[in-house]
């Protein structure tokens, strides 16, 4: 069901509604037919205790003023779902009061593969675009330094996470791509953040070619800020420096910096509406189903 773009904007994550353990292979619970999609909210967090939070799609580790967030859906290359978005919103809310640095990472094989096409092809449907856009805005404007640590492949919405972060660090083997046009879609919500980093033409080129670029090329373009064969060491060097920043100065600077990139808020409505329209198109949905069910790309059928 198509949602109104303005109706889903929110200041934080959905509150707890259902704490039933989630199994992605068996979770066939129906969604509400009216209003916004029903969500599986994260369990109560334990960040105040300093222990790992028992989320189901992410891992959280807080060390002093640094909050490490790791995507944790390896079977789907950390694809984006509504639950993952909600859990990240919840973790940011819990972390931002005391964390000056947020580090977002995946695994060595995949950072984030974009929207979970199995969900898109099934009854759950596409990710709530407004909640995802707002999550990226929080990474871009929150009172902390957001750091993306990319080791594997970042595709589609995964590039959105990278582009939204204040600092992007990558291993030599990292790759970045936008595959949406292959399925009749385009990265409507990603582009405002990507253009801010690499400019219009390079974002245009990535969108049209749907081909991956390597870490060094991404650094030349400005999508990535630094590359190292030992990216863990690279991250720690940055964290050690960034954590010295004073919270009041950081908060004031981040608020000012958003005035330098007003397009993120200005383009929100258009981006969300375009995303919802694409995922409501029957032809696009059928192309995604054909790929999921038969392994057939749109240009290979017929």
């Amino acid at each position: 069901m198509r949602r109104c773009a303005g109706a889903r904007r929110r200041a934080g994550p959905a509150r707890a509604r259902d704490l039933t353990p989630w199994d992605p292979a068996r979770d066939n619970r129906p969604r509400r037919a009216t209003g916004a999609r029903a969500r599986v909210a994260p369990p109560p967090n334990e960040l105040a205790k300093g222990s790992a939070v028992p989320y189901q799609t992410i891992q959280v580790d807080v060390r002093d003023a640094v909050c490490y967030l790791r995507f944790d859906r390896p079977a789907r290359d950390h694809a984006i779902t509504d639950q993952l978005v909600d859990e990240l919103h919840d973790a940011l809310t819990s972390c931002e009061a005391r964390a000056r640095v947020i580090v977002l990472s995946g695994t060595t094989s995949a950072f984030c593969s974009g929207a979970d096409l199995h969900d898109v092809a099934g009854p759950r449907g596409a990710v709530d675009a407004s909640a995802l856009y707002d999550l990226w805005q929080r990474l871009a404007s929150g009172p902390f330094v957001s750091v993306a640590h990319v080791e594997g492949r970042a595709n589609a919405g995964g590039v959105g996470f990278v582009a939204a972060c204040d600092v992007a660090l990558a291993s030599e083997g990292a790759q970045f791509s936008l595959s949406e046009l292959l399925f009749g879609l385009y990265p409507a919500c990603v582009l405002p953040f990507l253009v801010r980093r690499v400019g219009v033409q390079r974002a245009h080129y990535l969108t049209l070619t749907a081909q991956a670029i390597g870490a060094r090329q991404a650094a030349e373009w400005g999508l990535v800020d630094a590359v190292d064969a030992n990216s863990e060491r690279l991250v720690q060097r940055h964290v050690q420096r960034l954590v010295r920043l004073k919270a009041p100065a950081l908060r004031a600077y981040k608020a000012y910096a958003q005035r330098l990139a007003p397009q993120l808020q200005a383009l929100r409505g258009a981006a969300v509406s375009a995303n919802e329209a694409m995922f409501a198109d029957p032809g696009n949905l059928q192309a995604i189903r054909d790929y999921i069910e038969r392994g057939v790309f749109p240009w290979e059928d017929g």
Side-chain angles (χ1 to χ4, degrees):
M1 179 178 292
R2 189 177 187 274
R3 290 181 290 273
C4 174
R8 289 291 302 124
R9 188 178 181 185
R10 60 187 182 181
R15 304 320 307 161
R17 298 188 187 92
D18 180 1
L19 303 184
T20 304
W22 180 73
D23 181 345
R26 297 182 299 177
D27 182 4
N28 295 314
R29 284 171 285 180
R31 305 289 175 172
R32 286 198 297 265
T34 59
R37 176 183 292 124
R39 300 289 185 85
V40 180
N45 70 71
E46 300 175 7
L47 286 171
K49 303 177 184 178
S51 62
V53 179
Y55 291 118
Q56 296 158 343
T57 66
I58 61 173
Q59 296 177 14
V60 182
D61 184 17
V62 181
R63 306 177 196 172
D64 298 322
V66 184
C67 178
Y68 294 89
L69 305 177
R70 184 183 294 274
F71 298 119
D72 191 24
R73 302 192 70 227
R76 296 281 174 85
D77 287 337
H78 312 299
I80 303 168
T81 63
D82 280 319
Q83 186 176 19
L84 181 142
V85 172
D86 279 347
E87 290 187 356
L88 283 171
H89 267 297
D90 186 82
L92 286 180
T93 298
S94 300
C95 285
E96 66 184 9
R98 67 176 185 175
R100 294 192 295 279
V101 180
I102 307 286
V103 179
L104 181 65
S105 63
T107 52
T108 55
S109 61
F111 174 74
C112 173
S113 60
D116 191 327
L117 296 185
H118 290 82
D119 276 9
V120 174
R124 295 185 186 90
V127 170
D128 184 338
S130 58
L132 180 58
Y133 197 97
D134 289 347
L135 176 60
W136 291 342
Q137 280 197 295
R138 293 184 74 182
L139 291 171
S141 63
F144 46 74
V145 183
S146 54
V147 178
H149 175 202
V150 186
E151 295 181 271
R153 183 166 185 174
N155 179 60
V159 173
F161 276 106
V162 177
C165 285
D166 297 310
V167 176
L169 308 174
S171 70
E172 293 279 4
Q175 292 188 315
F176 305 84
S177 58
L178 298 174
S179 62
E180 288 89 341
L181 272 179
L182 298 177
F183 300 96
L185 312 170
Y186 59 93
C189 290
V190 174
L191 284 171
F193 298 89
L194 183 59
V195 166
R196 183 184 65 147
R197 268 197 168 266
V198 306
V200 172
Q201 181 53 38
R202 283 171 171 164
H204 189 51
Y205 179 80
L206 274 178
T207 301
L208 290 174
T209 61
Q211 288 185 326
I213 62 172
R216 291 294 177 184
Q217 186 172 357
E220 291 174 5
W221 287 11
L223 176 56
V224 167
D225 298 301
V227 179
D228 196 303
N230 188 337
S231 59
E232 289 282 356
R233 182 176 58 194
L234 180 66
V235 170
Q236 290 312 308
R237 287 204 307 265
H238 279 77
V239 167
Q240 288 169 7
R241 188 172 188 87
L242 293 170
V243 79
R244 298 173 185 170
L245 301 176
K246 299 299 183 182
L250 182 56
R251 182 182 297 272
Y253 167 69
K254 287 293 295 287
Y256 173 74
Q258 293 314 297
R259 300 176 66 180
L260 304 177
Q263 73 273 15
L264 295 184
Q265 181 59 37
L267 292 172
R268 179 187 183 278
V272 170
S273 294
N275 193 88
E276 291 175 339
M278 283 184 285
F279 283 105
D281 183 281
N284 293 341
L285 294 177
Q286 187 58 53
I288 293 170
R289 291 190 194 100
D290 288 343
Y291 175 72
I292 293 299
E293 296 171 4
R294 301 191 288 133
V296 175
F297 285 101
W299 62 87
E300 296 175 324
D301 201 8

PDB file of all heavy atoms in Angstrom, residues 18 69 81 107 119 157 175 187 194 201 205 211 219-220 255 259 261 268 292 294 296:
ATOM      1  N   ASP A  18       6.154  -5.801  20.012  1.00  0.00           N
ATOM      2  CA  ASP A  18       6.134  -7.258  19.916  1.00  0.00           C
ATOM      3  C   ASP A  18       7.543  -7.769  20.133  1.00  0.00           C
ATOM      4  O   ASP A  18       8.428  -7.522  19.331  1.00  0.00           O
ATOM      5  CB  ASP A  18       5.605  -7.656  18.518  1.00  0.00           C
ATOM      6  CG  ASP A  18       5.554  -9.163  18.356  1.00  0.00           C
ATOM      7  OD1 ASP A  18       5.896  -9.904  19.296  1.00  0.00           O
ATOM      8  OD2 ASP A  18       5.163  -9.587  17.271  1.00  0.00           O
ATOM      9  N   LEU A  69      28.223  -0.118  15.675  1.00  0.00           N
ATOM     10  CA  LEU A  69      27.016  -0.749  15.158  1.00  0.00           C
ATOM     11  C   LEU A  69      27.417  -1.625  13.970  1.00  0.00           C
ATOM     12  O   LEU A  69      28.055  -1.144  13.024  1.00  0.00           O
ATOM     13  CB  LEU A  69      26.002   0.295  14.697  1.00  0.00           C
ATOM     14  CG  LEU A  69      25.586   1.362  15.712  1.00  0.00           C
ATOM     15  CD1 LEU A  69      24.618   2.360  15.070  1.00  0.00           C
ATOM     16  CD2 LEU A  69      24.943   0.709  16.926  1.00  0.00           C
ATOM     17  N   THR A  81      15.937  -4.234   5.989  1.00  0.00           N
ATOM     18  CA  THR A  81      14.543  -4.542   6.272  1.00  0.00           C
ATOM     19  C   THR A  81      13.985  -3.464   7.196  1.00  0.00           C
ATOM     20  O   THR A  81      14.732  -2.673   7.772  1.00  0.00           O
ATOM     21  CB  THR A  81      14.390  -5.903   6.972  1.00  0.00           C
ATOM     22  OG1 THR A  81      15.061  -5.837   8.249  1.00  0.00           O
ATOM     23  CG2 THR A  81      14.983  -7.022   6.142  1.00  0.00           C
ATOM     24  N   THR A 107      30.526  -6.917   7.296  1.00  0.00           N
ATOM     25  CA  THR A 107      31.526  -7.967   7.437  1.00  0.00           C
ATOM     26  C   THR A 107      32.502  -7.873   6.275  1.00  0.00           C
ATOM     27  O   THR A 107      32.349  -7.030   5.386  1.00  0.00           O
ATOM     28  CB  THR A 107      30.859  -9.355   7.463  1.00  0.00           C
ATOM     29  OG1 THR A 107      29.992  -9.478   6.323  1.00  0.00           O
ATOM     30  CG2 THR A 107      30.036  -9.545   8.725  1.00  0.00           C
ATOM     31  N   ASP A 119      11.962  -9.690   0.650  1.00  0.00           N
ATOM     32  CA  ASP A 119      10.851  -8.993   1.278  1.00  0.00           C
ATOM     33  C   ASP A 119      10.025  -8.235   0.243  1.00  0.00           C
ATOM     34  O   ASP A 119       8.790  -8.244   0.273  1.00  0.00           O
ATOM     35  CB  ASP A 119      11.368  -8.001   2.327  1.00  0.00           C
ATOM     36  CG  ASP A 119      11.631  -8.669   3.670  1.00  0.00           C
ATOM     37  OD1 ASP A 119      11.585  -9.915   3.734  1.00  0.00           O
ATOM     38  OD2 ASP A 119      11.889  -7.942   4.654  1.00  0.00           O
ATOM     39  N   GLY A 157      21.079   0.698  -1.332  1.00  0.00           N
ATOM     40  CA  GLY A 157      20.921   1.356  -0.038  1.00  0.00           C
ATOM     41  C   GLY A 157      22.152   1.278   0.833  1.00  0.00           C
ATOM     42  O   GLY A 157      22.346   2.108   1.728  1.00  0.00           O
ATOM     43  N   GLN A 175      33.843  -2.555  -2.525  1.00  0.00           N
ATOM     44  CA  GLN A 175      33.245  -2.172  -3.810  1.00  0.00           C
ATOM     45  C   GLN A 175      31.942  -1.437  -3.554  1.00  0.00           C
ATOM     46  O   GLN A 175      31.258  -1.669  -2.549  1.00  0.00           O
ATOM     47  CB  GLN A 175      32.978  -3.395  -4.684  1.00  0.00           C
ATOM     48  CG  GLN A 175      34.222  -4.091  -5.194  1.00  0.00           C
ATOM     49  CD  GLN A 175      33.882  -5.166  -6.210  1.00  0.00           C
ATOM     50  OE1 GLN A 175      32.955  -5.951  -6.017  1.00  0.00           O
ATOM     51  NE2 GLN A 175      34.629  -5.209  -7.298  1.00  0.00           N
ATOM     52  N   PRO A 187      17.806   4.927  -7.529  1.00  0.00           N
ATOM     53  CA  PRO A 187      18.119   5.172  -6.117  1.00  0.00           C
ATOM     54  C   PRO A 187      17.637   6.532  -5.625  1.00  0.00           C
ATOM     55  O   PRO A 187      18.449   7.401  -5.257  1.00  0.00           O
ATOM     56  CB  PRO A 187      19.649   5.045  -6.087  1.00  0.00           C
ATOM     57  CG  PRO A 187      20.080   5.484  -7.443  1.00  0.00           C
ATOM     58  CD  PRO A 187      19.015   4.981  -8.382  1.00  0.00           C
ATOM     59  N   LEU A 194      24.295  10.889  -1.864  1.00  0.00           N
ATOM     60  CA  LEU A 194      25.423  10.577  -2.735  1.00  0.00           C
ATOM     61  C   LEU A 194      25.906  11.817  -3.479  1.00  0.00           C
ATOM     62  O   LEU A 194      27.121  12.051  -3.591  1.00  0.00           O
ATOM     63  CB  LEU A 194      25.017   9.490  -3.728  1.00  0.00           C
ATOM     64  CG  LEU A 194      26.105   8.984  -4.671  1.00  0.00           C
ATOM     65  CD1 LEU A 194      27.281   8.405  -3.894  1.00  0.00           C
ATOM     66  CD2 LEU A 194      25.533   7.944  -5.637  1.00  0.00           C
ATOM     67  N   GLN A 201      27.275  14.489 -11.572  1.00  0.00           N
ATOM     68  CA  GLN A 201      27.637  13.648 -12.715  1.00  0.00           C
ATOM     69  C   GLN A 201      28.148  12.280 -12.295  1.00  0.00           C
ATOM     70  O   GLN A 201      27.797  11.263 -12.908  1.00  0.00           O
ATOM     71  CB  GLN A 201      28.679  14.348 -13.586  1.00  0.00           C
ATOM     72  CG  GLN A 201      29.097  13.550 -14.812  1.00  0.00           C
ATOM     73  CD  GLN A 201      27.904  13.101 -15.667  1.00  0.00           C
ATOM     74  OE1 GLN A 201      26.926  13.837 -15.823  1.00  0.00           O
ATOM     75  NE2 GLN A 201      27.980  11.890 -16.212  1.00  0.00           N
ATOM     76  N   TYR A 205      26.510   8.788 -13.247  1.00  0.00           N
ATOM     77  CA  TYR A 205      27.249   7.706 -13.909  1.00  0.00           C
ATOM     78  C   TYR A 205      27.081   6.385 -13.155  1.00  0.00           C
ATOM     79  O   TYR A 205      26.825   5.336 -13.771  1.00  0.00           O
ATOM     80  CB  TYR A 205      28.724   8.079 -14.002  1.00  0.00           C
ATOM     81  CG  TYR A 205      29.591   7.026 -14.644  1.00  0.00           C
ATOM     82  CD1 TYR A 205      29.657   6.891 -16.032  1.00  0.00           C
ATOM     83  CD2 TYR A 205      30.349   6.154 -13.867  1.00  0.00           C
ATOM     84  CE1 TYR A 205      30.450   5.922 -16.623  1.00  0.00           C
ATOM     85  CE2 TYR A 205      31.149   5.180 -14.452  1.00  0.00           C
ATOM     86  CZ  TYR A 205      31.192   5.067 -15.824  1.00  0.00           C
ATOM     87  OH  TYR A 205      31.977   4.103 -16.409  1.00  0.00           O
ATOM     88  N   GLN A 211      27.382  -0.429 -12.452  1.00  0.00           N
ATOM     89  CA  GLN A 211      28.618  -1.191 -12.297  1.00  0.00           C
ATOM     90  C   GLN A 211      29.333  -0.789 -11.013  1.00  0.00           C
ATOM     91  O   GLN A 211      29.259   0.363 -10.581  1.00  0.00           O
ATOM     92  CB  GLN A 211      29.548  -0.962 -13.487  1.00  0.00           C
ATOM     93  CG  GLN A 211      29.069  -1.624 -14.763  1.00  0.00           C
ATOM     94  CD  GLN A 211      30.075  -1.480 -15.882  1.00  0.00           C
ATOM     95  OE1 GLN A 211      30.772  -0.478 -15.989  1.00  0.00           O
ATOM     96  NE2 GLN A 211      30.169  -2.500 -16.729  1.00  0.00           N
ATOM     97  N   ALA A 219      37.527   6.574  -3.472  1.00  0.00           N
ATOM     98  CA  ALA A 219      38.265   7.613  -2.748  1.00  0.00           C
ATOM     99  C   ALA A 219      38.574   8.794  -3.659  1.00  0.00           C
ATOM    100  O   ALA A 219      38.478   9.957  -3.245  1.00  0.00           O
ATOM    101  CB  ALA A 219      39.549   7.034  -2.159  1.00  0.00           C
ATOM    102  N   GLU A 220      38.934   8.517  -4.906  1.00  0.00           N
ATOM    103  CA  GLU A 220      39.207   9.597  -5.859  1.00  0.00           C
ATOM    104  C   GLU A 220      37.965  10.446  -6.086  1.00  0.00           C
ATOM    105  O   GLU A 220      38.053  11.664  -6.263  1.00  0.00           O
ATOM    106  CB  GLU A 220      39.689   9.015  -7.187  1.00  0.00           C
ATOM    107  CG  GLU A 220      41.072   8.388  -7.122  1.00  0.00           C
ATOM    108  CD  GLU A 220      41.447   7.690  -8.420  1.00  0.00           C
ATOM    109  OE1 GLU A 220      40.658   7.794  -9.397  1.00  0.00           O
ATOM    110  OE2 GLU A 220      42.503   7.045  -8.469  1.00  0.00           O
ATOM    111  N   ALA A 255      25.323  20.920  13.652  1.00  0.00           N
ATOM    112  CA  ALA A 255      24.122  21.710  13.361  1.00  0.00           C
ATOM    113  C   ALA A 255      24.411  22.750  12.282  1.00  0.00           C
ATOM    114  O   ALA A 255      23.607  22.961  11.365  1.00  0.00           O
ATOM    115  CB  ALA A 255      23.622  22.387  14.635  1.00  0.00           C
ATOM    116  N   ARG A 259      23.479  23.306   7.504  1.00  0.00           N
ATOM    117  CA  ARG A 259      23.072  24.487   6.739  1.00  0.00           C
ATOM    118  C   ARG A 259      23.858  24.590   5.437  1.00  0.00           C
ATOM    119  O   ARG A 259      23.456  25.298   4.512  1.00  0.00           O
ATOM    120  CB  ARG A 259      23.261  25.746   7.585  1.00  0.00           C
ATOM    121  CG  ARG A 259      22.436  25.716   8.870  1.00  0.00           C
ATOM    122  CD  ARG A 259      22.690  26.919   9.750  1.00  0.00           C
ATOM    123  NE  ARG A 259      22.244  28.154   9.132  1.00  0.00           N
ATOM    124  CZ  ARG A 259      22.359  29.349   9.698  1.00  0.00           C
ATOM    125  NH1 ARG A 259      22.899  29.464  10.898  1.00  0.00           N
ATOM    126  NH2 ARG A 259      21.933  30.431   9.068  1.00  0.00           N
ATOM    127  N   ALA A 261      24.340  21.965   3.587  1.00  0.00           N
ATOM    128  CA  ALA A 261      23.751  20.950   2.700  1.00  0.00           C
ATOM    129  C   ALA A 261      22.241  20.881   2.930  1.00  0.00           C
ATOM    130  O   ALA A 261      21.706  19.844   3.323  1.00  0.00           O
ATOM    131  CB  ALA A 261      24.402  19.597   2.948  1.00  0.00           C
ATOM    132  N   ARG A 268      13.668  15.497   0.729  1.00  0.00           N
ATOM    133  CA  ARG A 268      13.115  14.326   1.408  1.00  0.00           C
ATOM    134  C   ARG A 268      11.774  13.894   0.823  1.00  0.00           C
ATOM    135  O   ARG A 268      11.550  12.721   0.518  1.00  0.00           O
ATOM    136  CB  ARG A 268      12.969  14.596   2.904  1.00  0.00           C
ATOM    137  CG  ARG A 268      12.371  13.427   3.679  1.00  0.00           C
ATOM    138  CD  ARG A 268      12.099  13.810   5.128  1.00  0.00           C
ATOM    139  NE  ARG A 268      11.589  12.683   5.884  1.00  0.00           N
ATOM    140  CZ  ARG A 268      10.327  12.293   5.885  1.00  0.00           C
ATOM    141  NH1 ARG A 268       9.422  12.930   5.134  1.00  0.00           N
ATOM    142  NH2 ARG A 268       9.947  11.255   6.604  1.00  0.00           N
ATOM    143  N   ILE A 292      14.067 -13.213  -8.024  1.00  0.00           N
ATOM    144  CA  ILE A 292      14.136 -13.981  -6.777  1.00  0.00           C
ATOM    145  C   ILE A 292      13.731 -15.434  -7.001  1.00  0.00           C
ATOM    146  O   ILE A 292      14.384 -16.366  -6.513  1.00  0.00           O
ATOM    147  CB  ILE A 292      13.237 -13.341  -5.702  1.00  0.00           C
ATOM    148  CG1 ILE A 292      13.791 -11.972  -5.283  1.00  0.00           C
ATOM    149  CG2 ILE A 292      13.094 -14.251  -4.485  1.00  0.00           C
ATOM    150  CD1 ILE A 292      15.167 -12.025  -4.674  1.00  0.00           C
ATOM    151  N   ARG A 294      13.260 -17.144 -10.071  1.00  0.00           N
ATOM    152  CA  ARG A 294      13.806 -17.886 -11.213  1.00  0.00           C
ATOM    153  C   ARG A 294      15.224 -17.490 -11.588  1.00  0.00           C
ATOM    154  O   ARG A 294      15.815 -18.071 -12.502  1.00  0.00           O
ATOM    155  CB  ARG A 294      12.889 -17.696 -12.433  1.00  0.00           C
ATOM    156  CG  ARG A 294      11.445 -18.175 -12.222  1.00  0.00           C
ATOM    157  CD  ARG A 294      10.680 -18.196 -13.538  1.00  0.00           C
ATOM    158  NE  ARG A 294      10.382 -16.845 -14.014  1.00  0.00           N
ATOM    159  CZ  ARG A 294      10.585 -16.426 -15.252  1.00  0.00           C
ATOM    160  NH1 ARG A 294      11.130 -17.242 -16.150  1.00  0.00           N
ATOM    161  NH2 ARG A 294      10.260 -15.207 -15.609  1.00  0.00           N
ATOM    162  N   VAL A 296      16.098 -14.772 -13.031  1.00  0.00           N
ATOM    163  CA  VAL A 296      16.044 -14.172 -14.355  1.00  0.00           C
ATOM    164  C   VAL A 296      16.059 -12.640 -14.241  1.00  0.00           C
ATOM    165  O   VAL A 296      15.242 -12.061 -13.532  1.00  0.00           O
ATOM    166  CB  VAL A 296      14.759 -14.603 -15.105  1.00  0.00           C
ATOM    167  CG1 VAL A 296      14.638 -13.886 -16.444  1.00  0.00           C
ATOM    168  CG2 VAL A 296      14.748 -16.111 -15.302  1.00  0.00           C
TER     169      VAL A 296
END
